[in-house]
Amino acid sequence: MLMRISLAAQTLELLDDAGELLRRYPVSTGARGAGERQGSYQTPRGRHLVRAKIGAGCPLFTVFSGRRPTGEIWSPELDAAYPGRDWILTRILWLSGCEPGCNRLGEVDTMRRYIYIHGTSEQAPMGEAQSHGCIRMRNRDILELFDLVPPYTPVDITEA
């Protein structure tokens, strides 16, 4: 299996081992574009893998902070109470870069930057670059993807 994320198209594609498309999801990537540097709030490019899967068994719309459930369940009312909050919901696929000097180690380490594929507020638009560097998905989409991909699934993030 392989995940391919297109920053230009704002899509995540899941491909089988033969390269056949299994699923295509709309996503939202970094509002500041592509980049690998710590503190850039940009989405890192290149070859990655799913280093950790977080949230198995948690209810839909579970709110996470620091990769741990907060005890909150997202709702439009909770969203309204915290305007501007960067919602990390439902499931987390924590990415790790595979290319030393590009997206791994030093000031360009994807995992140390806490770059995830995760669910977000239901009001957040998909297909538009609006995240803080992570790859945001609809909650039902990340729930499905989480169950389809094993740990260490390769992830290619491209500008094309």
Side-chain angles (χ1 to χ4, degrees):
M1 250 186 226
L2 167 71
M3 279 190 272
R4 186 170 53 204
I5 298 167
S6 166
L7 302 180
Q10 294 291 296
T11 58
L12 183 154
E13 295 178 334
L14 180 63
L15 308 171
D16 68 15
D17 291 334
E20 296 294 319
L21 181 66
L22 298 174
R23 303 279 192 287
R24 181 179 290 124
Y25 304 101
V27 297
S28 177
T29 63
R32 295 186 181 178
E36 292 68 43
R37 296 210 71 69
Q38 182 76 28
S40 69
Y41 296 100
Q42 295 174 308
T43 300
R45 295 161 290 195
R47 181 68 138 198
H48 295 81
L49 55 80
V50 174
R51 187 60 171 268
K53 294 175 59 171
I54 299 165
C58 289
L60 188 67
F61 304 118
T62 294
V63 178
F64 291 88
S65 180
R67 296 158 308 285
R68 301 208 187 304
T70 65
E72 301 164 296
I73 299 295
W74 180 90
S75 68
E77 296 78 22
L78 188 63
D79 190 71
Y82 296 96
R85 185 170 174 181
D86 185 22
W87 296 102
I88 299 173
L89 306 177
T90 303
R91 299 289 183 274
I92 297 170
L93 298 173
W94 192 356
L95 301 183
S96 179
C98 297
E99 301 168 280
C102 177
N103 57 27
R104 183 172 168 82
L105 303 173
E107 292 296 310
V108 294
D109 196 278
T110 295
M111 191 164 189
R112 286 189 197 143
R113 289 182 58 206
Y114 304 104
I115 299 295
Y116 315 136
I117 302 170
H118 65 82
T120 193
S121 161
E122 288 295 284
Q123 281 92 338
M126 292 295 116
E128 298 177 21
Q130 292 194 352
S131 83
H132 296 159
C134 287
I135 296 93
R136 296 176 179 171
M137 296 182 74
R138 290 270 168 250
N139 292 284
R140 284 177 176 69
D141 291 348
I142 187 65
L143 194 63
E144 179 180 78
L145 182 65
F146 187 92
D147 290 339
L148 289 171
V149 300
Y152 303 104
T153 296
V155 180
D156 284 336
I157 303 175
T158 67
E159 289 189 83

